[in-house]
Amino acid sequence: MRWALAALCTCASVAGPRAAHAYSGFLKAPGEGYAKVSYSTITSNRFYDTEGDLFDLGSNFNQQNVMLYGEVGVLPYLTLGLNAPVLRLNSFETSRTAAGVGDLQLFAKSGLELYTIHAALIVAAELPTGRSEYLVDTDFEGIKSNLPTGDGETNFWLRLALSRSLPTPDWIPAYVSADVGYNLRTKYHGQLQAGFELGVSVLGYVWLQGSVNAQFAPTPTEDLDPSGVFLFGEGTEYVAGGFSASANIPRTPLWVTFDFRNTFANLRNLYAGSNFGVGLAASW
């Protein structure tokens, strides 16, 4: 039964330059900003249930996202931004494609610098702009799959981030960031996240970043809401590693970006695999 439910209903939880990272302690100066349009994709048939058991479902699940990210400094101690899945495509090998917008996230970041450490509190609201029920036809007569583009609830994220520049030579600036956050969900159980990132630039024209982040579901498995287990991230856990590279287009404010992310440990209630992304960003 778990196999059948997962095969027919599961939606994946897959979830630039240094100053573009919303989860860092760095803020934008008033009038400064960063915007990025990106495309990413993940394909996997490795589904882990809420007990951490692996199921090879035979049919690949694919998710594609077109994302718009932006942030701008409005006050010396306030940066505002958004993270918007303007197009999300979900499909199985054996189903049609569900296409629509995802859940829009708006955030505000405020902080200060103390003894060379930049600390910021980030408050974000994730709005239910995506469809929580999206039934599509499958290759099996009379059977439809629900492949939602959103979770159908308003989420509130609270996050604390700490960052500092590293004492490297001027021609190779570097930084380190760490963050911890809690997702206060209005329908399902809360989630904890933690992350670490190291970034380095070469002559200001190339940024290289490596990161590790994790999500934890503090609610016991037996207390999870069954209506959200397979579809909406109820009980989802993972540890993921990522790498990003950004290269400046000479004599322009534009950056070409590449992103890679892989979920590799403590996997529960998600399709595990590698996510690849490319994008175009602008900073001012």
Side-chain angles (χ1 to χ4, degrees):
M1 178 61 69
R2 287 190 301 176
W3 244 50
L5 285 173
L8 294 177
C9 299
T10 303
C11 177
S13 300
V14 293
R18 175 193 74 181
H21 188 191
Y23 300 161
S24 77
F26 299 107
L27 275 70
K28 288 291 190 184
E32 291 184 352
Y34 177 89
K36 177 180 176 180
V37 177
S38 62
Y39 166 82
S40 64
T41 182
I42 180 174
T43 298
S44 175
N45 61 6
R46 296 168 50 233
F47 176 73
Y48 289 81
D49 68 8
T50 54
E51 299 291 342
D53 295 326
L54 171 63
F55 293 92
D56 183 344
L57 300 176
S59 175
N60 282 330
F61 175 86
N62 176 260
Q63 184 179 92
Q64 302 173 71
N65 289 291
V66 177
M67 301 290 300
L68 173 62
Y69 175 89
E71 61 177 29
V72 62
V74 295
L75 295 171
Y77 301 105
L78 179 64
T79 294
L80 300 180
L82 63 83
N83 195 26
V86 295
L87 177 62
R88 174 162 291 167
L89 305 173
N90 293 329
S91 65
F92 288 107
E93 282 185 78
T94 55
S95 79
R96 306 299 182 265
T97 299
V101 298
D103 288 344
L104 170 67
Q105 185 180 100
L106 303 173
F107 68 86
K109 178 161 63 169
S110 182
L112 51 80
E113 182 181 0
L114 185 64
Y115 301 112
T116 73
I117 296 177
H118 296 259
L121 177 66
I122 304 138
V123 179
E126 190 172 296
L127 307 176
T129 52
R131 290 178 58 176
S132 60
E133 183 174 6
Y134 201 137
L135 298 176
V136 297
D137 293 327
T138 70
D139 293 345
F140 309 103
E141 185 176 355
I143 295 179
K144 292 180 179 290
S145 287
N146 186 19
L147 296 175
T149 62
D151 61 15
E153 63 172 349
T154 300
N155 302 329
F156 296 98
W157 278 97
L158 299 175
R159 194 178 302 269
L160 175 65
L162 301 175
S163 303
R164 78 178 304 269
S165 297
L166 297 178
T168 53
D170 291 342
W171 61 274
I172 185 168
Y175 73 94
V176 63
S177 289
D179 68 272
V180 61
Y182 181 75
N183 183 11
L184 179 62
R185 307 184 74 179
T186 55
K187 184 175 181 181
Y188 302 108
H189 291 91
Q191 300 165 329
L192 290 169
Q193 286 188 353
F196 175 85
E197 182 174 276
L198 176 65
V200 61
S201 176
V202 180
L203 300 176
Y205 292 101
V206 176
W207 272 102
L208 303 176
Q209 295 156 308
S211 63
V212 177
N213 59 81
Q215 178 170 295
F216 306 97
T219 304
T221 302
E222 59 271 18
D223 294 335
L224 297 175
D225 185 341
S227 67
V229 166
F230 290 114
L231 293 172
F232 306 120
E234 179 81 318
T236 295
E237 296 187 338
Y238 59 80
V239 177
F243 170 79
S244 298
S246 304
N248 180 240
I249 300 175
R251 296 183 294 278
T252 77
L254 301 179
W255 297 74
V256 177
T257 68
F258 170 79
D259 302 290
F260 169 81
R261 182 172 180 270
N262 179 265
T263 47
F264 63 87
N266 193 36
L267 305 172
R268 298 175 184 272
N269 193 35
L270 84 165
Y271 275 96
S274 296
N275 190 304
F276 299 90
V278 294
L280 183 66
S283 60
W284 63 92

